[in-house]
Amino acid sequence: MTGGYMAPRIALVTPASLRRQNGDSLRPLRQALGLWANNYRNFVVYTPEPAPDLPFDQRLVRVTGPARIIHPFDTSEYCIVHAHQNAGLFLDGRIWMDVHGLATLESRLAWRRFPWSLRALLFMGFSQWAVSRQLSRAERVICASVSIEANLRHEYPHVRRTDVIRNCVDPDQWDRLPGELPVVAVIGGFTSRWGRAAFKMALRVAELTPGVSFKFIGAVSASQQGDTSSISGISLTGEVGDEAYIDALSECSVILLPYPAWCSGGGCRQKLMQAAAMRLAI
């Protein structure tokens, strides 16, 4: 409170765990840390897995299914509910929607790649329904890039007010230069739908380039770990935190970002900026 004024109470809602270092958790985490660093305290983060080491208030929320549907909770104490992705699907109150990627576009591309897949068809149908419902209720839409905003307005010409808040990196974190060894970094995680496809593509590149070392950075499954056993020059870091991620990249000289044709990005922009900040060849 300053001069008798109480800042409005805000809820940040995400279907992602703040413990995991991935694109879904990065944006809400950075927003919360930004509010905290600027002495804004009147907010709560709702997440399926609170992280006790973080300084701000967190509350547990239940998430169901592969679409990570958040169970409704009482939002009456909040002036604004800032919902990430489909987190505000069944929530009441003033909803601001934070869009990291357009699910309708991604699901349609996946269905075109796998036209006989019932899962791909159901995912496309659910995405169309969910995004339409979200946009009809959100009084403001925050897009993570200009391209996301352009795709959103192309798909939904009558969408309400949109703003672009770009992902960014702190250059002070990325001041280490790569070594001289020709080590190729491949950034995951590799257990998601697009991550599994990217892993197979990168593995094929590694098979075709003997003598070049590859460092796969990010979570892998047990079966993926077994797939690398017959290929020399591959190292796996597993899931890593921020500092270990920077250390791993600092040992590489090239970054390989393989994406299947039906994937519309999968966090590519953030990885491109991080690679550029470290002067890696891309």
Side-chain angles (χ1 to χ4, degrees):
M1 179 180 292
T2 303
Y5 170 74
M6 175 65 76
R9 190 156 176 78
I10 297 173
L12 291 176
V13 188
T14 173
S17 165
L18 297 183
R19 294 177 179 274
R20 296 182 62 83
Q21 300 293 321
N22 59 35
D24 285 340
S25 64
L26 179 67
R27 194 165 171 87
L29 176 60
R30 294 302 185 215
Q31 287 174 352
L33 291 173
L35 289 172
W36 187 267
N38 286 280
N39 298 316
Y40 196 105
R41 299 289 188 266
N42 202 20
F43 71 95
V44 177
V45 177
Y46 282 84
T47 170
E49 190 176 352
D53 56 313
L54 295 173
F56 46 81
D57 188 9
Q58 302 164 73
R59 297 184 187 176
L60 181 67
V61 70
R62 287 201 299 152
V63 177
T64 298
R68 296 182 296 179
I69 300 299
I70 284 186
H71 290 229
F73 59 89
D74 184 13
T75 61
S76 59
E77 64 177 296
Y78 303 107
C79 176
I80 297 170
V81 177
H82 189 146
H84 285 261
Q85 301 295 77
N86 63 3
L89 198 57
F90 298 113
L91 299 181
D92 296 323
R94 298 178 61 201
I95 303 294
W96 287 17
M97 181 182 179
D98 200 303
V99 185
H100 317 162
L102 193 55
T104 50
L105 178 60
E106 294 175 358
S107 63
R108 190 161 61 245
L109 292 172
W111 175 72
R112 288 174 180 172
R113 174 65 179 83
F114 305 103
W116 305 110
S117 168
L118 178 60
R119 179 177 179 179
L121 182 62
L122 291 173
F123 175 51
M124 182 176 66
F126 171 80
S127 298
Q128 291 175 342
W129 172 79
V131 173
S132 296
R133 175 181 168 85
Q134 280 275 72
L135 292 174
S136 68
R137 301 180 61 244
E139 64 178 43
R140 189 167 182 173
V141 181
I142 313 297
C143 300
S145 71
V146 173
S147 62
I148 291 175
E149 182 187 41
N151 287 331
L152 182 69
R153 290 204 168 276
H154 180 265
E155 296 281 323
Y156 304 93
H158 303 297
V159 69
R160 300 180 188 180
R161 178 179 176 182
T162 59
D163 295 282
V164 176
I165 300 179
R166 295 174 177 83
N167 291 326
C168 60
V169 298
D170 179 2
D172 291 337
Q173 285 187 301
W174 307 90
D175 57 351
R176 307 178 204 187
L177 298 178
E180 297 301 323
L181 293 177
V183 180
V184 179
V186 187
I187 304 175
F190 302 104
T191 57
S192 65
R193 188 179 70 256
W194 73 262
R196 292 191 296 271
F199 182 86
K200 289 182 179 180
M201 294 167 69
L203 210 61
R204 179 59 177 159
V205 174
E207 288 178 324
L208 295 173
T209 52
V212 177
S213 297
F214 287 77
K215 185 183 291 290
F216 285 70
I217 305 171
V220 295
S221 66
S223 62
Q224 288 173 324
Q225 190 169 359
D227 291 339
T228 66
S229 60
S230 61
I231 305 175
S232 62
I234 291 181
S235 61
L236 306 174
T237 68
E239 187 174 346
V240 294
D242 287 343
E243 292 186 7
Y245 175 51
I246 295 173
D247 288 340
L249 280 185
S250 70
E251 299 170 356
C252 303
S253 51
V254 179
I255 185 170
L256 173 65
L257 296 173
Y259 288 93
W262 47 264
C263 177
S264 64
C268 184
R269 298 176 186 87
Q270 192 79 11
K271 296 168 188 175
L272 285 170
M273 289 189 290
Q274 292 165 347
M278 295 194 72
R279 299 174 176 84
L280 289 171
I282 301 172

